């Protein structure tokens, strides 16, 4: 009599022998002390789809049948019950553990190793690290949706060594158990549909070969962001580099007007993989170029956890006294909507491909500004102020809550710039708040409906600063400051004219024409808030029949 324990059967059943010709038959020993797995009270046992557990004359056997190449694509659900594994393991772990044990017993040796039950954050670098001690690897494929991976060695003996080792020494990736066995594939073939995985795989393999073939063991990278047209934050760096392994510490700083960072990975191969993959890449088309080399430091000493530095292993560190405005990077071209992202992926998807925050890569172009002065706020004033950081398309001051306004920028990146530079700025005596809105567009009033002039469309305004790609305006964007840069000054306008006009909006502390170009000047107000008011009032100020003053914030001092 055959008693078959088959996936999905709710109770002990007597069935005819499994159909097909068994590839192998393995007797199993079942301990009578194993909870829930006695031959007299049968329980469901998880097995591979191509196996059945049969009891012949009270002796359990595992029948294994030939199967095709479904290993990559199998979606078969597994049921775990009474397997005799640790009661603390989850059903998923039980399933994978049993599958691994069964498959490991029946699959013949192969150059390709199959790894199951991967944690969700695991990547190619993690798999390569697991295989590094056993020999040279020639390919790797991670199937994140299935929590599986395949690692191909140059020599079968290396794969045998790896599987043998992890049969007695449970494998872990990112502190979570994984299960290692031979694959039924003799080699690992990937095609164009795995182009993204292939790029990461080659970076990880190349990094491993570099580390294995040299004495290079640095875990600290020095990062320089050249041609930084968009702001770079510590969070963006973290999300970029965490794809290659665990990021321990980051220190950011500005040197020679260039954003730089020191970043410490948890191990040398992660650092090498990140360097190999990201060095020379543009985060956005034609700008924000990453230049990466190794630091001579052996450890980063991080004192504070804030927007400039972070120790991810020490969440208890204080924030310190951080002046957010002190860390700003010149920004540039605003053509991100048409930009080709890194690795040839268009637009915002390219940003997402490199791991940029979703709000920056795919978020709304609409921002919400709150805590405004109801008596002072107008659509034109907000257009002028927020126009410093991008082209404002529409402004709506809320009718029933006039201290709030919605502003639609040309694209989500410009919205992020406005949030970065103007959130918590003091305007008209109040500290405004700027955040991303849940709205995707600012609606204009319906035809015939009046809103007292609180909504205005600026799409076709001639005053946009960034419509022309490559404009010098793109290279001179700075946080609000006491010093304002003035340009387009006609020859007949004097220092006295300018200081008098600006004195209507605060106290003028200093003034200086550019020595080699009298069409430009710097003017210093008493406070940053006064400079903001002066910019709102004086930008586009008419000084002649066809001559209008241009005003922006400056990083210079007088």
């Amino acid at each position: 009599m055959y008693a078959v324990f088959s996936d999905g059967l709710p109770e002990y059943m007597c069935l005819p022998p499994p159909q097909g010709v068994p590839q192998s038959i393995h007797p199993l020993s079942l301990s009578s002390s194993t909870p829930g797995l006695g031959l007299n009270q049968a329980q469901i046992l998880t097995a591979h789809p191509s196996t059945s557990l049969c009891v012949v004359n009270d002796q359990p056997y595992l029948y294994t049948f030939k199967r095709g190449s479904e290993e990559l694509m199998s979606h078969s659900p597994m049921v775990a019950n009474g397997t005799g594994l640790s009661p603390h393991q989850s059903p998923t772990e039980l399933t994978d553990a049993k599958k691994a044990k069964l498959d490991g017993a029946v699959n013949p040796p192969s150059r390709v190793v199959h790894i199951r039950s991967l944690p969700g954050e695991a990547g190619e670098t993690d798999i390569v690290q697991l295989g590094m001690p056993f020999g040279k690897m020639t390919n790797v494929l991670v199937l994140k949706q299935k929590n599986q991976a395949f690692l191909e060695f140059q020599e079968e003996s290396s794969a045998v060594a790896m599987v043998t080792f992890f049969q007695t020494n449970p494998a872990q990736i990112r502190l979570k158990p994984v299960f290692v066995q031979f694959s039924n594939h003799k080699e690992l073939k990937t095609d164009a549909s795995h182009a993204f995985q292939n790029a990461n795989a080659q970076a990880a393999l190349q990094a491993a070969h570099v580390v294995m073939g040299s004495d290079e063991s640095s875990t600290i990278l020095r990062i320089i962001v050249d041609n930084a047209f968009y702001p770079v934050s510590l969070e963006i760096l973290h999300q970029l580099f965490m794809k290659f392994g665990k990021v321990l510490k980051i220190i950011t700083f500005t040197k020679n007007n260039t954003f730089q960072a020191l970043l410490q990975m948890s191990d040398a191969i992660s650092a090498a993989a990140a360097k190999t993959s990201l060095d020379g890449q543009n985060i956005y088309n034609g700008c924000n170029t990453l230049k990466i080399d190794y630091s001579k430091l052996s450890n980063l000493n991080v004192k504070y956890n804030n927007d400039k530095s972070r120790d991810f292993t020490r969440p208890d560190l204080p924030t310190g006294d951080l002046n957010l405005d002190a860390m700003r990077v010149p920004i540039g071209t605003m053509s991100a909507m048409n930009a080709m992202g890194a690795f040839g992926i268009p637009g915002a998807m390219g940003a997402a491909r490199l791991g940029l925050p979703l709000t920056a890569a795919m978020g709304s172009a609409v921002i919400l500004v709150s805590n405004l002065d109801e008596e002072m706020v107008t659509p034109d004033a907000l257009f002028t102020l927020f126009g410093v950081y991008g082209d404002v398309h529409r402004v709506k001051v809320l009718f029933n809550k006039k201290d709030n306004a919605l502003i639609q920028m040309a694209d989500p990146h410009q919205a992020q710039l406005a949030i970065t530079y103007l959130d918590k700025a003091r305007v008209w005596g109040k500290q405004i708040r700027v955040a991303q809105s849940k709205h995707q567009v600012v609606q204009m009033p319906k035809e015939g409906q009046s809103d007292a002039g609180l909504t205005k469309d600026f799409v076709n305004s001639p005053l946009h600063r960034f419509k022309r790609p490559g404009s010098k305006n793109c290279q001179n964007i700075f946080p609000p400051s006491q010093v304002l840069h003035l340009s387009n000054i006609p020859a007949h306008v004097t220092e006295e004219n300018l200081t008098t006009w600006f004195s209507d909006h605060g106290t003028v502390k200093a003034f200086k024409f550019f020595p080699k170009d009298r069409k430009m000047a710097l003017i210093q107000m008493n406070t940053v808030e006064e400079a903001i008011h002066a910019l709102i009032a004086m930008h586009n100020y008419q000084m002649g029949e066809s001559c209008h003053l241009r005003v922006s914030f400056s990083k210079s001092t007088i």
Side-chain angles (χ1 to χ4, degrees), residues 170-329:
Q172 284 193 344
I173 288 180
R174 301 206 179 197
L175 302 180
K176 294 181 180 178
V178 297
F179 305 102
V180 179
Q181 64 195 72
F182 291 117
S183 169
N184 68 339
H185 296 280
K186 294 302 181 184
E187 61 180 343
L188 188 56
K189 294 182 179 179
T190 54
D191 53 29
S193 64
H194 295 105
F196 171 55
Q197 293 97 321
N198 291 345
N200 286 350
Q202 291 308 309
L205 291 168
Q206 185 177 343
H209 297 160
V210 169
V211 173
M212 294 167 69
S214 71
D215 295 329
E216 180 62 73
S217 60
S218 176
T219 60
I220 300 178
L221 300 172
R222 184 173 69 116
I223 304 157
I224 298 174
V225 181
D226 271 354
N227 202 19
F229 283 6
Y230 293 99
V232 181
S233 67
L234 183 148
E235 284 74 19
I236 286 177
L237 289 179
H238 182 249
Q239 293 193 44
L240 283 173
F241 282 80
M242 69 184 289
K243 304 295 182 184
F244 304 93
K246 189 174 182 180
V247 179
L248 301 184
K249 304 171 184 178
I250 304 177
I251 297 174
T252 66
F253 54 95
T254 300
K255 184 177 182 181
N256 298 327
N257 292 325
T258 302
F259 180 89
Q260 300 189 28
L262 292 170
L263 185 146
Q264 184 170 350
M265 304 292 290
S266 60
D267 54 86
I269 186 174
S270 295
K275 180 182 184 299
T276 300
S277 183
L278 294 177
D279 184 32
Q281 294 291 341
N282 292 333
I283 300 177
Y284 301 106
N285 182 47
C287 64
N288 288 65
T289 305
L290 295 168
K291 292 190 174 180
I292 305 171
D293 57 15
Y294 289 107
S295 168
K296 295 180 181 179
L297 297 173
S298 58
N299 185 54
L300 290 184
N301 182 22
V302 177
K303 296 181 179 179
Y304 304 111
N305 282 341
N306 52 39
D307 286 351
K308 283 187 173 182
S309 61
R310 193 81 50 86
D311 185 337
F312 295 94
T313 68
R314 292 280 311 277
D316 57 308
L317 290 179
T319 59
D321 183 17
L322 179 66
N323 178 8
L324 291 177
D325 282 343
M327 173 195 151
R328 302 302 186 193
V329 187

Side-chain angles (χ1 to χ4, degrees), residues 359-360 363-370 372 382-383 385-398 403-423 432-443:
T359 54
S364 171
V366 180
I367 51 182
L368 172 66
V369 187
S370 55
L372 292 161
L382 295 178
F383 167 78
L385 176 58
F386 283 79
V388 173
Y389 300 107
D391 291 338
V392 176
H393 282 186
R394 290 179 178 176
V395 178
K396 179 189 286 290
V397 178
L398 303 190
D403 61 343
N404 282 249
L406 292 172
I407 300 176
Q408 182 177 333
M409 308 295 287
D411 62 56
H413 301 285
Q414 296 182 18
Q416 288 296 316
L417 286 178
I419 293 170
T420 299
Y421 287 107
L422 291 176
D423 183 40
I432 65 171
R433 298 308 307 267
V434 186
Q436 193 164 55
S437 170
K438 63 182 180 181
H439 298 285
Q440 296 300 309
V441 294
V442 170
Q443 298 288 351

Side-chain angles (χ1 to χ4, degrees), residues 115 118 123-131 140 142 149-151 173:
I115 304 163
L118 291 180
E124 286 78 6
T125 304
D126 298 289
I127 305 304
V128 168
Q129 276 187 269
L130 198 65
V140 59
V142 176
F150 297 86
L151 180 63
I173 288 180

Side-chain angles (χ1 to χ4, degrees), residues 465 473 482-490 493-495 497-502 508 510-514 517-525 531 534-535 538-541 543 548-554 558:
R465 296 176 185 250
N473 296 329
Q482 289 177 256
V483 179
L484 298 171
H485 181 273
L486 313 181
S487 60
N488 205 33
I489 304 170
V493 172
T494 65
E495 175 180 338
N497 293 146
L498 290 167
T499 54
T500 299
W501 294 334
F502 276 81
V508 176
F511 179 91
K512 181 177 70 174
F513 276 114
F514 277 51
D517 187 355
R518 199 181 172 283
K519 291 181 179 179
M520 295 191 293
L522 297 176
I523 189 167
Q524 182 176 343
M525 305 301 291
L535 181 142
M538 295 301 298
H539 180 63
N540 202 45
Y541 182 81
M543 298 175 292
H548 295 77
L549 183 67
R550 300 188 65 83
V551 185
S552 58
F553 296 115
S554 174
I558 301 178

